[in-house]
Amino acid sequence: MTTGGASLAAARGAGSEAAAAPASGRAPAALHAGAGGAIGAIDAGGATGATGAIGACGATGATGATGAGGAIGATGARGATGATDAVVAPPRAGTTGPAAAAAAVAPGPAAAPRATPPANAPAAYVLGGGVAGLTAAFGLADRGYRTTLLESRGWLGGRAFSSFDKAAERHLDNGPHAMLGCYRSTRALLRRLGTEGLFQQDRALAMAYRAPGGRTLWLRLSRLPVPLALPLALCTFGMPWGARLRALWGMAMSLLPTAKHRTLAAWLARHRQTGAPDAHLWRPLCRAIMNVEPEQCAAADFLATLREAFTGSAARAAFWLPTRPWGEVFGDPAPQALAAAGVAVRCGARVHALELAAGAGVAAAAAEAAAAAARSALPTAAAATASTRATTTATAAPPSSSAPASASLAAASMASATAAAGDGARAAAPAATSASAESSPAATSLAVGARGAQPAATRRDGGDARAVAAIVLADGERIVLRPGDIVVSALPWFALRAALPSLPEPLGRLEGSPIVSAYVTLAPTAPPLPDDGPVVALVDGAPFHFVLRTPGGDPRQCALLSGGDRSLDGQTVDAIAGRALAQLAAYVPEAALAGATVRVRKEQRATFVAAVGSDAARPAPGRLPDGPANLFVCGDWTDTGLPATLEGAARSAECAVAALAPPHG
């Protein structure tokens, strides 16, 4: 459970699913794992998950297996019995909630309609429609850029999305997410969308811990500032007194800086936190925040996140838990809010490559070449009309593999696209692109494709003398940039490197960590599950680490979450569902599991691993020091001071936009 990013993929219209009977009976095993991640750890900023949005513009993500017995491999391996890559479908019309909460939730004050930037204002292209992309798009529009958001899938929201599960007859999240009160940037985005009120906003941290056999412990903080409340809470926590004193010492030591080369496991051993403090306190926190075990992550990153939440008021460390599916929080209200801000939205626009060019005026030359090619492919009357424009614009249809977007999203996208006409020179069709590349010497020599980019020339200021000249979509469309236009990538690390292989090393060379969610529904006649609160840590739990409940939701439903556990790689859906029910029975023996069903979702690269040394692969949000001159990056994987979390994603976009000067039209 990433509190915030990161970040388990399912086709939004169909859902990745598994129905399983508990002790007896075998239900069909079918998992449609698509691109798009979920935040599994308790986002101290997930994700998610905070946080690596798989499927955003060119990433293959966790390819799931279909068919009974199909295995989900560590890299989306095909199942043994006819597994196939699943295509992520967009949401159905009238997606989530009564009257689709997008209409029920009024946009915030900041979402009032804005004046359209002048036609000669520079354009900004945001790649990816997750939390970072949404934050960046709003910020760029506010600064006066003619902003277009390109999203590969049929909906917005990144890894924090929901899909309708036919068997469960309800919308299931792509993975459980939790926020903390200290998520100031994420909360600012929620206010922009008008959905900050869709959360149970606790005033102080309260969390239950269950051990095998059902023993339950509680860590409850008072409303005093956390540095005062946490020691008092640890004194009453149900560990032996010696373990409590060691835990207090460890919390005191967490306020001090530590060496960057030290893993969290080494830090715990150094400060005598092994045994009960590790099992009850540190390891659950690490799994929630980092989505890996303490042996795999850098102590410095974990402790920095802990200090972010635990050194202020009680409310900063308290959970914020959604009372509605995540699709209603981000994806459903986003199109209307973006349109009101003047942002053009194009869903189904998967980025295939970023073409680079060198030298002043190159973008203008490439744009003119593309415009000439497009005019030559049009009928005479249309060409005459097009020749009156400095740029040509044609919105290509989404790839044929993508299903139509929801009615509300399509309408908002159409309105936005109309307002943004003239955003760069776009080839009318793949045929026009070919004509441009083959018949125009200027375009051939100047546009350096991402698949065969030459070594970068370096300016005196350390930057790359090249610039992004065109954005190439998966259907062959080329969006040609004009001088002054910029590209803001909110893609996950692996998708950006796929689109731009010349990305300076070692940027983006990060390892991914999976999240698996098992949604359990008891039989209608079963008694409700015990009310341990919305977040329960499973002490020494494996492969699942947390049990989560929706505040105010059905008391016979819960979700088991596994973060970073590789033992589920390659297992069938039936096997995963069986392990989920067996572990639930061990930790909640009073649960009546006869007739229970399980729906499974999995994301292979839900978050990145903040391992020792990974900071070298995480650039600061904004302009890459040795990257293209007009390319800016953001996302939870950039160097935000946080791991893969929703808050890290939002803050990275704020930082990237803040570094830009207002455009001069």
Side-chain angles (χ1 to χ4, degrees), residues 338-402:
L338 289 167
V343 177
V345 177
R346 293 189 58 190
C347 289
R350 182 180 295 275
V351 174
H352 173 70
L354 299 177
E355 291 186 355
L356 304 183
V362 166
E368 179 56 33
R375 288 195 299 271
S376 68
L378 294 172
T380 304
T385 301
S387 65
T388 64
R389 296 171 175 262
T391 60
T392 60
T393 303
T395 302
S400 58
S401 60
S402 299

Side-chain angles (χ1 to χ4, degrees), residues 566-599:
R566 290 290 184 181
S567 70
L568 297 177
D569 288 348
Q571 293 204 359
T572 65
V573 170
D574 274 346
I576 294 173
R579 293 184 69 177
L581 289 172
Q583 190 171 341
L584 188 61
Y587 281 81
V588 191
E590 61 268 43
L593 299 180
T597 59
V598 182
R599 317 298 292 171

Side-chain angles (χ1 to χ4, degrees), residues 26-405:
R26 181 175 175 277
L31 177 65
H32 304 286
I39 273 192
I42 293 179
D43 272 356
T48 266
T51 319
I54 296 185
C57 306
T60 53
T63 299
T66 61
I72 305 174
T75 57
R78 293 176 179 270
T81 59
T84 173
D85 292 356
V87 176
V88 180
R92 302 181 306 171
T95 48
T96 53
V105 179
R114 296 175 181 274
T116 302
N120 61 344
Y125 295 92
V126 179
L127 312 183
V131 169
L134 294 175
T135 304
F138 281 122
L140 291 164
D142 290 346
R143 294 181 78 81
Y145 284 91
R146 294 182 301 114
T147 306
T148 300
L149 188 151
L150 305 175
E151 165 57 44
S152 66
R153 295 174 292 182
W155 65 91
L156 302 174
R159 288 159 289 166
F161 72 92
S162 313
S163 62
F164 185 77
D165 188 288
K166 294 179 181 178
E169 298 183 339
R170 63 188 176 109
H171 285 82
L172 298 179
D173 288 333
N174 190 36
H177 302 251
M179 286 174 43
L180 296 179
C182 61
Y183 283 16
R184 54 175 174 77
S185 298
T186 310
R187 289 170 59 184
L189 175 61
L190 295 174
R191 288 191 294 274
R192 193 71 183 253
L193 298 173
T195 57
E196 192 178 25
L198 296 183
F199 286 80
Q200 174 180 294
Q201 303 171 18
D202 292 349
R203 302 294 299 274
L205 178 64
M207 185 169 173
Y209 295 75
R210 272 195 176 249
R215 180 175 179 242
T216 305
L217 306 176
W218 282 89
L219 183 66
R220 290 190 177 96
L221 274 62
S222 70
R223 294 188 184 180
L224 292 172
V226 177
L228 298 176
L230 185 57
L232 294 174
L234 286 175
C235 287
T236 60
F237 194 53
M239 294 188 297
W241 267 107
R244 296 183 212 180
L245 292 175
R246 288 192 290 126
L248 285 168
W249 172 253
M251 279 295 176
M253 291 298 98
S254 70
L255 300 175
L256 303 178
T258 189
K260 288 196 171 226
H261 66 270
R262 187 169 291 134
T263 66
L264 180 57
W267 184 90
L268 294 173
R270 181 184 181 90
H271 296 291
R272 301 178 59 208
Q273 298 300 300
T274 55
D278 179 12
H280 289 81
L281 184 65
W282 299 107
R283 197 162 294 264
L285 281 172
C286 178
R287 290 165 174 168
I289 294 171
M290 310 299 287
N291 198 36
V292 291
E293 298 297 313
E295 291 77 12
Q296 298 172 267
C297 70
D301 288 348
F302 170 81
L303 296 175
T305 305
L306 206 63
R307 289 191 289 269
E308 173 86 13
F310 286 2
T311 56
S313 67
R316 286 178 56 82
F319 285 126
W320 277 46
L321 296 154
T323 59
R324 303 296 305 161
W326 278 95
E328 296 184 21
V329 175
F330 289 120
D332 291 353
Q336 180 182 355
L338 289 167
V343 177
V345 177
R346 293 189 58 190
C347 289
R350 182 180 295 275
V351 174
H352 173 70
L354 299 177
E355 291 186 355
L356 304 183
V362 166
E368 179 56 33
R375 288 195 299 271
S376 68
L378 294 172
T380 304
T385 301
S387 65
T388 64
R389 296 171 175 262
T391 60
T392 60
T393 303
T395 302
S400 58
S401 60
S402 299

